[in-house]
Amino acid sequence: MMTRTPTSQSPFSALPSALGSKWSTYKLGGPIDHLARPTTTDQAIGYLQQAINVAVPVTVVGWGSNSIIADPGIRGLTVLTRDLQHMAIDANTGVADLGAGLFLGTASTQLQKKGLGGGAFWVGIPGTVGGAVAMNAGAMGSDTAKHLIDATVYNLATQQAEVWDKARLQFAYRHSAINPQQHVVLSARFAFIPLETQSLRDELAQQMKANIDFRRQHHPTQPNGGSVFQNPNPDNPVGRLLDQLGARDPETGWREGGIRISPVHANFMINTGTGTATDLLRLMVRAKRAVKQHFGFTIHPENRFLGQPSAEEKDLLAELEPSRQ
Ligand SMILES: Cc1cc2nc3c(=O)[nH]c(=O)nc-3n(C[C@H](O)[C@H](O)[C@H](O)COP(=O)(O)OP(=O)(O)OC[C@H]3O[C@@H](n4cnc5c(N)ncnc54)[C@H](O)[C@@H]3O)c2cc1C
């Protein structure tokens, strides 16, 4: 375990600090001590090797659209992948080699422009390719695993950039074998489907538009982190369960401090402006207890917690994610 924090001799002391709230779509979270924004995979590997050399913890942030950043913030080195923008798409074979920081909407649009099908589900998921691999992001009956060929991963344990095939990534529902404290996705290769006819291309354009329209209607516009909890099974989506308990009622909906359940979708929690990570975790604990008490399901967070928790955040996390302890 790497627990030492950087000293004044740290190779990262020249890196800027930042506010976590700037880099998470919830718009909350405390200070990030040292923020690296590599623009090439070699540069990313260089930062990671330095972190190993001086034994500081590494945190990876893509678009921050599935992440709750601790109120006390993030110590050690934080690698923001957004500038890893490499993109090579072969329209003939359908193979796309995509940098970890590429925004999924951009990737999806570029695939469409090249006449490739299969990537429409990414449009409207506000994350990066690396985050999508780590989370196995999915929507509209598809997921990232379905198209992935392999991913280039920097492994902090072996200190090597390794090519992980699909079997090694062990994809499941919103899960992969990527442990972001140990494994950093640098890029990934995907297989999409060359669309031979204009009517198939028109169908793809319609599908993308329909996906965007659906999200505009069904997702909140206030700062949020997408679905807070994983669904216990497809027949019992958490949003519906919480809705039955009145959690998203516009008048009496549940809230903790500056965080409330979204009136448009009960599995989304929104930051009304003053929300903290502690408020969010308190509301999550309330939702988890209620679902257990009324429906008997133990639900698990889909959102990931990043950084060093306060004492209260630690207690709340212990209830939300007992396996984390
Ligand atoms: C409005 C809204 C709608 C959403 N809809 C969907 C949806 O339909 N389907 C869905 O699956 N998700 C959805 N999400 C959640 C989120 O967008 C996805 O999980 C997305 O894949 C996260 O990507 P990210 O880059 O933002 O990851 P982050 O939030 O930055 O990171 C998420 C986790 O992955 C790790 N990580 C990020 N990048 C890397 C990397 N390069 N290497 C290793 N680990 C990494 C982080 O450390 C963290 O543990 C939604 C979110 C919002 C806000």
Side-chain angles (χ1 to χ4, degrees):
M1 286 297 273
M2 290 174 287
T3 50
R4 195 142 50 92
T5 47
T7 63
S8 55
Q9 285 85 44
S10 161
F12 308 124
S13 49
L15 288 174
S17 57
L19 265 184
S21 53
K22 186 171 176 197
W23 301 111
S24 114
T25 58
Y26 273 119
K27 301 292 172 214
L28 52 78
I32 293 175
D33 284 355
H34 301 284
L35 187 75
R37 296 189 64 158
T39 53
T40 64
T41 52
D42 283 349
Q43 209 183 6
I45 291 170
Y47 283 125
L48 296 168
Q49 285 175 337
Q50 282 182 326
I52 295 167
N53 291 342
V54 293
V56 304
V58 172
T59 302
V60 193
V61 179
W63 210 261
S65 65
N66 200 44
S67 294
I68 303 168
I69 297 181
D71 287 334
I74 309 179
R75 309 286 82 80
L77 174 70
T78 300
V79 178
L80 188 73
T81 62
R82 289 183 194 195
D83 298 329
L84 296 173
Q85 291 279 322
H86 164 83
M87 177 165 46
I89 301 174
D90 185 328
N92 294 318
T93 61
V95 174
D97 186 350
L98 306 177
L102 207 59
F103 191 63
L104 293 171
T106 307
S108 186
T109 307
Q110 290 305 316
L111 291 166
Q112 182 199 10
K113 282 189 180 155
K114 297 270 185 184
L116 296 175
F121 76 99
W122 271 350
V123 82
I125 302 181
T128 61
V129 165
V133 173
M135 295 299 310
N136 188 17
M140 310 291 169
S142 194
D143 63 17
T144 301
K146 186 169 171 190
H147 297 280
L148 186 127
I149 301 169
D150 52 33
T152 300
V153 176
Y154 187 80
N155 187 339
L156 279 92
T158 62
Q159 305 186 23
Q160 300 287 333
E162 302 167 344
V163 177
W164 288 26
D165 64 13
K166 210 183 218 175
R168 184 162 180 194
L169 283 159
Q170 294 175 39
F171 287 118
Y173 167 57
R174 304 296 171 264
H175 170 85
S176 76
I178 296 294
N179 168 358
Q181 285 158 344
Q182 294 245 304
H183 315 127
V184 182
V185 178
L186 299 171
S187 65
R189 290 192 314 141
F190 300 88
F192 292 99
I193 308 144
L195 301 176
E196 305 294 346
T197 65
Q198 188 57 43
S199 78
L200 285 172
R201 293 176 184 206
D202 291 346
E203 213 176 284
L204 173 65
Q206 279 170 16
Q207 209 181 359
M208 292 191 48
K209 187 179 175 306
N211 289 357
I212 293 168
D213 290 347
F214 178 87
R215 284 170 187 277
R216 286 208 179 112
Q217 283 168 24
H218 297 276
H219 289 173
T221 51
Q222 299 92 336
N224 70 82
S227 295
V228 175
F229 292 101
Q230 297 179 355
N231 294 322
N233 58 56
D235 296 333
N236 289 287
V238 172
R240 195 193 300 152
L241 300 178
L242 289 171
D243 200 11
Q244 285 172 29
L245 300 176
R248 74 178 175 99
D249 186 282
E251 304 296 324
T252 58
W254 300 357
R255 59 165 74 219
E256 286 287 342
I259 302 287
R260 64 169 297 174
I261 304 259
S262 163
V264 298
H265 192 314
N267 196 19
F268 280 55
M269 295 184 182
I270 56 176
N271 185 350
T272 59
T274 56
T276 64
T278 309
D279 293 340
L280 179 56
L281 295 178
R282 285 185 189 146
L283 193 54
M284 287 170 71
V285 165
R286 178 174 174 189
K288 180 172 173 142
R289 285 182 188 165
V291 169
K292 179 73 180 169
Q293 187 189 340
H294 292 276
F295 304 104
F297 296 117
T298 301
I299 53 173
H300 302 282
E302 180 165 324
N303 284 163
R304 301 281 184 90
F305 188 85
L306 306 183
Q308 279 66 37
S310 66
E312 181 176 358
E313 286 172 339
K314 215 171 175 179
D315 288 346
L316 294 163
L317 284 168
E319 184 163 350
L320 286 165
E321 303 177 19
S323 60
R324 201 185 134 97
Q325 303 307 302

